[in-house]
Amino acid sequence: AARLPSYESTGAAGADIYACLAESVHVQPMQRVRIPTGLALELPPGYEAQIRPRSGTAFKHGLTVVNAPGTIDEDYRGELGILLVNLGKDTYEIKDGDRIAQMIIAPVHQALFLEAEELTSTKRGIGGFGSTGT
């Protein structure tokens, strides 16, 4: 049975998301899987759900969210499936009820995109990918 997301500490920003499985899934190294949760969301207008890896599982086992952070849009009504990849060297077993990711509910602002001939200059300019130092 599906389990509602839960905050595991009073200061937690992310609510843990649980696997909803009929049988365990063995994730091979470098394998990508979609793990069902049995959940569907109805977010209020102007909000998204961000799906992020659980830091302990990522560090200890290399299990992470493929498209981190994943975005669940306010108008999506299907089942929440968590896209995971095993970056570790060992097979990882996911069992029913395991905590597999965390979810953060955040406000969204849609931008108005305009075409421009030029942009204002800044000290940084076009420098990117480490250009501001270490």
Side-chain angles (χ1 to χ4, degrees):
R3 184 170 168 185
L4 290 176
S6 64
Y7 295 99
E8 295 300 318
S9 74
T10 56
D16 284 340
I17 301 293
Y18 301 86
C20 184
L21 299 168
E23 56 187 48
S24 295
V25 172
H26 292 83
V27 188
Q28 304 300 317
M30 299 310 295
Q31 181 183 11
R32 296 180 304 270
V33 294
R34 180 187 179 278
I35 302 296
T37 64
L39 301 173
L41 304 176
E42 185 169 340
L43 297 167
Y47 284 84
E48 68 162 331
Q50 297 176 7
I51 306 301
R52 300 180 182 185
R54 295 189 65 247
S55 57
T57 309
F59 178 71
K60 294 175 190 172
H61 305 285
L63 193 71
T64 189
V65 175
V66 174
N67 58 330
T71 295
I72 310 300
D73 296 309
E74 72 174 56
D75 57 352
Y76 177 68
R77 294 295 185 266
E79 180 182 2
L80 178 61
I82 306 299
L83 306 176
L84 298 175
V85 61
N86 181 356
L87 300 177
K89 60 182 179 180
D90 300 315
T91 300
Y92 187 84
E93 181 182 12
I94 301 172
K95 300 180 288 296
D96 182 52
D98 281 356
R99 294 184 292 171
I100 55 170
Q102 59 181 325
M103 177 174 62
I104 294 179
I105 307 300
V108 172
H109 302 280
Q110 289 188 338
L112 173 62
F113 298 99
L114 302 173
E115 188 173 335
E117 294 295 325
E118 62 183 67
L119 303 175
T120 59
S121 63
T122 66
K123 181 179 177 183
R124 181 176 183 176
I126 61 171
F129 298 105
S131 66
T132 60
T134 55

